[in-house]
Amino acid sequence: MATTGTLNIHTENIFPIIKQFLYQDQEVFLRELVSNAVDATQKLHTLARAGEVSGELGDTHIEILLDEAAGTLTVRDRGLGMTAAEVEKYINQIAFSSAEEFLERYKDKGGQVIGHFGLGFYSAFMVAGKVELLTQSYQAAPAAHWVCEGTTTFSLEETTKDFRGTDVVLHVLPEHAEYLKPHRIREILTRHCRFLPIPIHFEGEQINTTTPAWTKKPAELTDADYLAFYKELYPFQPDPLFWIHLNVDYPFTLTGILYFPRVKEGVDFEPGKIQLYANQVFITDEVDQVVPDFLMLLHGVIDSPDIPLNVSRSALQADGNVRKISGHIAKKVADKLQGLFADDRAAYEAKWPAIGLFVKYGMLRDTTFYERVQGACLLQSVNGTYRTLDEYTAFASANQTNKDGGRVILYTHDPQAHHSYVAAAEKKGYDVVVLGSPIDPHWLPFIEHKLERTHFYRVDSDSLDKLIDKGLERVSQLTTAEEAELKALLEPLVASAPGSKLELHPLGEDELPITVAVPEFQRRMKDMARSGMFGLEGLGEARTVTLNTAHPFGRRVLLQPEGERRTELLQQAYDLALLQQDLLKGPALTAFLQRSIAALS
């Protein structure tokens, strides 16, 4: 006997509201229906294990059926099914009550609401004008046939059905005919359902892996298994450097595998490489609230039923479990890095060029992460030697200090561009490290503060004898009067560059006769401006020009007859210093080349 009724809901326009809230994630309807089918099947297996289901369960796979001519899409399961009374309870009452509660809670959030779960079965009406439910319970009861056409009325009657389980039949609206196309359905199933725990069949084949790698224990997997799973997720990516298997059951449930990819030149922080699942149901690849931002470079999967869904992004940030999960993931990554360093330092050093930027960024962003990984943070010298921060500060304390006893660490962002400066430093027995990643201009002041009494200077930022104190007395080869005469000749040349100042110091005969230095602080500010920091554009160009009074060049200039020859020699030496700093441009560079060619003839 057929019955009709009114759905237990107070909002008359519930279906337009459902469509409005879920429109941006419209394809989610299929995930919701398949997830319901998985739940029904898993519950049946649970009851069978408890001895509450008699007989064999038979094949319990889920099928997705398309009938383009009839305009229907069917999700069929062979789960525990429902009686008419259960349809009345679970479909006609609870679902809509939950929907109303959801809408009331987030009525002021507008488009910020993420409609992943909560509306479940009724998400079908986003694409269907009519939905039918044919269900046969595992219990001894007649099958039930429920029909609703997107209004608050329904019909429910007894029917016959050949097998246990539920068919949800969607009569797809003409404007949503894309969901009757096999390629579109396969695309949605592959994205949302590829790792569900119950076999899902579409067009005669199973489209999912029911036991993906992250659901297994690490002891059950080989390196080949981890690499195969990575290739399944990212078919065209090179093999990762290493990976972390997450497996937590208290105080929250968290599983997953995170991979360290091989970072391409230029560092492409491409979003969407970490996928979030809840009980193997794909949720999103926007995991910025669950995974710390400095870990977004990683690839892989995390799965947790304890991450709240159907909430706004701001509410997700404030959730206690989300914060705990985020912190745990950061800790596991730090532990992995420390373990790799301790277990095989040589292998870790080989990976450092690929992971160094990531480690430094994490240190900048998270104090706790810094504390955990600072012992595994490396500095690479131009000669290829690696030292930890502690090792390098000990080296600098013994070999490279300033007049105040502070440690001096020389660095270059480009060993080839600074070859002459690096060679001069090595000749004096100093070491130079390579710091050329985009994060280094930001990381340097941070690490200087952390290490205390430690100063990083680019190898071309000033005279080595000024930066590092060896206790040597440098003596000028010029009298006071000669120094004044040379200063008067050089000042007009230096004054042509705004922001430049002239100094005279005895730097040693092995130093250049004239040097040009850009202050370390200003150079860093410019590097930060180039990396996109607003408010630092348009910085002035301060320079310090030093005439080396311990070099015989000064006396050689003064031995020339008074006139243009003296100025010409000083200009040539000054231009060489500018050229070495890549500061000689335009007409000044052309004039320098012409003078140099003339000197050869």
Side-chain angles (χ1 to χ4, degrees):
M1 177 180 176
T3 62
T4 60
T6 301
L7 297 167
N8 183 15
I9 185 170
H10 303 299
T11 307
E12 291 296 321
N13 61 343
I14 185 67
F15 291 104
I17 294 176
I18 289 174
K19 293 178 181 181
Q20 174 187 343
F21 272 84
L22 296 180
Y23 180 76
Q24 289 185 335
D25 287 324
Q26 188 183 74
E27 68 180 36
V28 80
F29 82 90
L30 187 56
R31 182 196 66 188
E32 293 292 307
L33 297 178
V34 174
S35 296
N36 287 346
V38 169
D39 289 343
T41 307
Q42 289 183 312
K43 289 175 182 176
L44 178 70
H45 285 286
T46 299
L47 292 173
R49 287 192 296 270
E52 297 182 26
V53 178
S54 59
E56 294 292 328
L57 296 184
D59 190 348
T60 57
H61 73 270
I62 295 165
E63 285 185 274
I64 313 300
L65 306 169
L66 288 180
D67 188 334
E68 191 169 0
T72 61
L73 183 157
T74 300
V75 177
R76 171 175 293 166
D77 71 65
R78 292 163 176 78
L80 76 172
M82 289 183 284
T83 64
E86 289 171 331
V87 171
E88 175 69 29
K89 179 179 180 181
Y90 295 117
I91 300 298
N92 295 340
Q93 296 180 30
I94 290 181
F96 275 114
S97 297
S98 299
E100 188 176 59
E101 179 184 349
F102 174 83
L103 295 173
E104 177 63 27
R105 183 176 180 186
Y106 296 107
K107 63 184 178 182
D108 297 326
K109 301 296 184 182
Q112 293 181 357
V113 173
I114 304 173
H116 287 309
F117 283 117
L119 301 181
F121 171 77
Y122 281 94
S123 64
F125 286 97
M126 288 194 293
V127 301
K130 180 171 77 171
V131 175
E132 296 183 73
L133 197 75
L134 293 94
T135 182
Q136 172 69 63
S137 174
Y138 75 98
Q139 304 175 73
H145 182 203
W146 178 91
V147 181
C148 181
E149 297 192 13
T151 68
T152 55
T153 62
F154 67 89
S155 68
L156 178 62
E157 62 181 340
E158 290 185 5
T159 189
T160 58
K161 193 171 182 295
D162 293 337
F163 49 86
R164 179 200 64 240
T166 301
D167 286 10
V168 181
V169 183
L170 281 64
H171 295 262
V172 179
L173 291 165
E175 60 265 34
H176 299 307
E178 64 178 289
Y179 298 113
L180 295 172
K181 303 296 183 183
H183 75 276
R184 183 72 173 103
I185 297 304
R186 181 175 290 276
E187 176 188 12
I188 297 172
L189 292 173
T190 299
R191 176 172 172 79
H192 292 282
C193 307
R194 65 189 298 192
F195 297 121
L196 284 172
I198 301 297
I200 301 167
H201 291 191
F202 179 61
E203 293 189 305
E205 65 175 295
Q206 182 172 325
I207 57 89
N208 63 319
T209 301
T210 58
T211 55
W214 83 81
T215 65
K216 301 175 182 178
K217 295 179 180 179
E220 300 173 2
L221 299 169
T222 64
D223 287 355
D225 294 327
Y226 284 109
L227 292 173
F229 182 59
Y230 186 79
K231 288 297 184 184
E232 186 176 356
L233 293 172
Y234 315 104
F236 305 109
Q237 293 285 336
D239 287 349
L241 294 166
F242 51 92
W243 49 85
I244 300 167
H245 196 136
L246 304 168
N247 194 352
V248 183
D249 55 19
Y250 182 82
F252 47 79
T253 302
L254 174 68
T255 56
I257 302 172
L258 293 176
Y259 293 89
F260 282 71
R262 296 182 182 275
V263 182
K264 298 177 182 177
E265 187 70 25
V267 190
D268 181 15
F269 287 94
E270 185 179 355
K273 291 300 186 181
I274 299 178
Q275 301 171 8
L276 173 63
Y277 288 75
N279 292 324
Q280 297 177 232
V281 180
F282 175 74
I283 304 302
T284 182
D285 53 18
E286 297 180 7
V287 297
D288 52 308
Q289 308 305 331
V290 183
V291 177
D293 62 351
F294 63 88
L295 297 181
M296 296 300 287
L297 179 64
L298 303 184
H299 294 178
V301 165
I302 54 177
D303 188 330
S304 177
D306 293 329
I307 295 175
L309 307 173
N310 280 340
V311 292
S312 68
R313 291 186 187 274
S314 59
L316 182 61
Q317 283 180 304
D319 182 82
N321 271 339
V322 171
R323 289 195 299 271
K324 291 176 184 176
I325 289 171
S326 178
H328 178 80
I329 291 172
K331 179 181 183 300
K332 291 293 290 185
V333 171
D335 290 347
K336 181 69 174 184
L337 291 167
Q338 288 178 306
L340 289 170
F341 176 73
D343 294 342
D344 190 340
R345 177 163 177 165
Y348 183 82
E349 290 179 355
K351 293 180 176 71
W352 182 253
I355 65 173
L357 181 144
F358 154 79
V359 174
K360 292 175 183 176
Y361 183 53
M363 295 169 80
L364 278 171
R365 297 292 295 172
D366 188 305
T367 300
T368 302
F369 187 80
Y370 163 79
E371 292 169 352
R372 287 177 174 144
V373 303
Q374 65 92 18
C377 180
L378 303 181
L379 291 175
Q380 179 189 5
S381 300
V382 291
N383 61 17
T385 301
Y386 286 94
R387 295 183 180 94
T388 66
L389 292 176
D390 287 344
E391 290 168 348
Y392 207 98
T393 53
F395 166 82
S397 294
N399 299 278
Q400 298 175 187
T401 57
N402 60 24
K403 62 181 180 180
D404 299 319
R407 292 180 288 261
V408 173
I409 298 179
L410 303 172
Y411 73 92
T412 173
H413 74 284
D414 186 339
Q416 291 302 311
H418 296 148
H419 184 271
S420 62
Y421 292 101
V422 172
E426 291 182 328
K427 184 179 179 181
K428 289 178 176 290
Y430 303 148
D431 188 71
V432 181
V433 299
V434 181
L435 294 173
S437 76
I439 202 69
D440 284 326
H442 310 270
W443 184 76
L444 281 174
F446 166 82
I447 204 65
E448 280 177 331
H449 173 73
K450 288 291 186 181
L451 296 179
E452 298 181 348
R453 292 183 57 76
T454 300
H455 309 278
F456 284 77
Y457 294 101
R458 209 169 84 175
V459 69
D460 64 336
S461 64
D462 211 337
S463 164
L464 293 172
D465 285 348
K466 286 184 182 180
L467 296 174
I468 300 174
D469 181 32
K470 285 295 186 181
L472 301 176
E473 288 292 333
R474 301 293 186 183
V475 180
S476 174
Q477 294 191 14
L478 304 171
T479 66
T480 303
E482 289 172 331
E483 287 184 359
E485 189 175 0
L486 282 169
K487 185 177 182 181
L489 290 170
L490 191 53
E491 274 180 337
L493 306 182
V494 174
S496 64
S500 297
K501 67 176 182 177
L502 176 61
E503 295 180 354
L504 279 68
H505 289 290
L507 301 178
E509 293 188 24
D510 55 348
E511 295 273 3
L512 293 174
I514 296 178
T515 62
V516 175
V518 176
E520 178 71 17
F521 176 77
Q522 177 183 288
R523 193 188 303 280
R524 290 187 195 178
M525 292 301 101
K526 284 185 169 293
D527 288 343
M528 289 183 186
R530 281 192 290 270
S531 69
M533 286 193 68
F534 297 110
L536 296 178
E537 303 86 351
L539 290 170
E541 188 70 72
R543 304 173 188 171
T544 299
V545 180
T546 302
L547 175 65
N548 181 7
T549 60
H551 196 284
F553 172 76
R555 181 64 53 77
R556 194 177 306 131
V557 170
L558 294 177
L559 288 175
Q560 302 296 320
E562 293 187 9
E564 292 184 2
R565 180 58 180 164
R566 289 183 171 187
T567 302
E568 187 177 271
L569 285 174
L570 287 170
Q571 183 72 65
Q572 193 75 355
Y574 178 42
D575 285 352
L576 280 170
L578 291 171
L579 185 66
Q580 193 177 28
Q581 286 279 14
D582 197 27
L583 295 173
L584 193 63
K585 309 286 184 181
L589 176 59
T590 301
F592 168 79
L593 293 173
Q594 290 172 343
R595 286 196 309 273
S596 300
I597 293 170
L600 297 175
S601 57

